[in-house]
Amino acid sequence: MATAPCGGSGTWRVWTLFVKDISDRLYWKGLWQSFDRHGVVLDVFIPSKRSRDEAHFGFVRIGARADALRMIERLDGFWLYGTKVSVAFANREVRNTFWRHRRDIPNGVDKLDVERATMPGGVRRRVCGEVDDVKIQVLQTCAVGWCRQPLSITRLADEMQSAGLRGIELMWITGSMVLFYFKNMEAREKEMEKGSLKTWFHSVEPWSANIAYETRCAWVSICGLPMHAWSEGSFKNIAGLWGKFVRIDAVTDEPVSFERSRVLVETGNSGRIDEKVEVEVMGKVFPIRVQEVELVRVPMVEGGNTRDECE
């Protein structure tokens, strides 16, 4: 663990985390956002050089030990922008001068935003959230699970019902996270002890206010992809710019035109996806546009259920 007085004076101690195997596509701001979901980040730094094994790495400074421990627990081994990162306490403190120099700043970042970001406890916009006591009472009997495979909520419910699980209601939270509604705490504990949910979920735990939304699922529309690159491999590589490829929609799988494709991405990017990128195919570069689209509720042909589709 490395600690140092903040700003070189005073008694405020900070903890430095070492983050290894960072994606080449991840700038300091994305690293900041990924860690800031789990606590208060004071500063980040991504050196231009690499480690001895050619891995891209960076450092994150935290103002509270509890936040640092939470980040290690939740982000060590987490897939971040297509690479599996490792997070641990740094063996030594990074010199203060490094925290002020961001060689990896992308073009177009406001210099004033950078100066504010590098200030410990920099300018932040914050509001107070109101707790709904009724929802808290309901959530006390709930559990949260992380899916092993990307399934629609309708198919997931059908498979669980076919396996004999009764009295459980499901709701997507975000990304691979699913919320289970149980009649009471006893029913929840009994089902979790049986371990039957592990067939579909690699992790299940009682609901807690400390559970963070690490990822979300987003449909993106891809325009400009040439016909001969219209393949699952291309879609996976494009999705990898923002996270993990989940699936394509039915229209993309059996296209009636090649004007646009639609891909479901599990991403840790909290901002709306809207970017122009280049795809190289057979030595030629094609500019494409990737935009996040909204979901609409489409009634199923049979029954009263609905399914999620993109516009």
Side-chain angles (χ1 to χ4, degrees):
M1 179 179 70
T3 61
C6 184
S9 61
T11 59
W12 186 14
R13 299 171 69 87
V14 301
W15 282 260
T16 303
L17 299 181
F18 176 69
V19 188
K20 188 179 179 182
D21 295 324
I22 297 174
S23 169
D24 292 339
R25 302 187 299 268
L26 185 62
Y27 293 103
W28 70 266
K29 204 164 188 178
L31 185 64
W32 185 307
Q33 292 173 347
S34 299
F35 277 74
D36 200 50
R37 297 188 183 97
H38 309 284
V40 179
V41 173
L42 301 180
D43 210 342
V44 299
F45 170 61
I46 301 179
S48 57
K49 66 178 183 179
R50 295 175 179 266
S51 62
R52 293 179 179 177
D53 55 356
E54 294 299 317
H56 208 193
F57 64 92
F59 299 92
V60 181
R61 291 210 296 190
I62 316 300
R65 177 177 170 82
D67 287 351
L69 291 172
R70 186 184 307 112
M71 292 173 187
I72 294 175
E73 178 184 358
R74 295 181 178 177
L75 295 177
D76 184 34
F78 183 74
W79 285 89
L80 191 62
Y81 288 83
T83 62
K84 189 176 182 179
V85 300
S86 61
V87 184
F89 283 111
N91 293 328
R92 59 185 178 85
E93 179 62 33
V94 183
R95 293 204 304 267
N96 283 339
T97 54
F98 285 160
W99 299 103
R100 296 297 182 264
H101 299 287
R102 304 191 186 280
R103 304 171 194 168
D104 294 344
I105 296 178
N107 294 332
V109 174
D110 188 352
K111 186 176 294 185
L112 179 58
D113 288 341
V114 174
E115 293 174 354
R116 289 174 175 173
T118 57
M119 295 171 56
V123 178
R124 296 173 180 267
R125 295 170 65 86
R126 180 175 297 179
V127 298
C128 293
E130 296 292 335
V131 175
D132 188 326
D133 293 333
V134 176
K135 284 189 174 64
I136 290 291
Q137 292 179 3
V138 174
L139 290 170
Q140 293 296 334
T141 66
C142 294
V144 176
W146 285 261
C147 284
R148 294 183 181 275
Q149 297 180 351
L151 299 175
S152 69
I153 194 69
T154 304
R155 180 177 174 183
L156 182 60
D158 289 343
E159 288 190 7
M160 292 175 62
Q161 189 173 10
S162 299
L165 277 70
R166 300 287 189 274
I168 305 176
E169 296 183 16
L170 308 178
M171 176 181 291
W172 283 116
I173 300 178
T174 184
S176 61
M177 300 171 67
V178 174
L179 185 69
F180 306 98
Y181 287 91
F182 293 90
K183 294 180 180 178
N184 49 54
M185 289 187 180
E186 291 75 15
R188 182 188 68 186
E189 298 303 320
K190 181 179 179 180
E191 197 63 55
M192 291 182 64
E193 288 178 3
K194 287 167 55 179
S196 55
L197 295 173
K198 292 184 178 180
T199 302
W200 301 275
F201 303 91
H202 61 75
S203 178
V204 178
E205 61 184 65
W207 174 86
S208 168
N210 294 325
I211 294 179
Y213 300 167
E214 298 171 349
T215 61
R216 66 186 181 92
C217 277
W219 281 100
V220 295
S221 172
I222 303 172
C223 297
L225 189 67
M227 290 184 292
H228 55 291
W230 196 279
S231 66
E232 183 172 312
S234 295
F235 298 137
K236 285 184 177 180
N237 291 339
I238 295 171
L241 294 174
W242 294 274
K244 178 182 177 182
F245 170 85
V246 179
R247 65 183 177 92
I248 57 178
D249 68 354
V251 177
T252 302
D253 190 29
E254 298 181 1
V256 294
S257 77
F258 293 94
E259 180 183 1
R260 69 179 67 234
S261 56
R262 297 181 178 91
V263 178
L264 186 61
V265 180
E266 183 176 345
T267 177
N269 189 347
S270 59
R272 185 179 180 85
I273 298 173
D274 188 353
E275 192 173 339
K276 292 181 179 179
V277 299
E278 295 180 341
V279 176
E280 183 177 351
V281 186
M282 300 177 64
K284 186 175 181 180
V285 176
F286 297 85
I288 66 171
R289 181 69 177 268
V290 183
Q291 289 181 298
E292 187 172 333
V293 295
E294 301 294 335
L295 285 178
V296 295
R297 303 295 289 175
V298 182
M300 300 289 283
V301 176
E302 297 179 1
N305 295 326
T306 59
R307 68 179 188 273
D308 288 334
E309 288 293 349
C310 57
E311 290 181 333

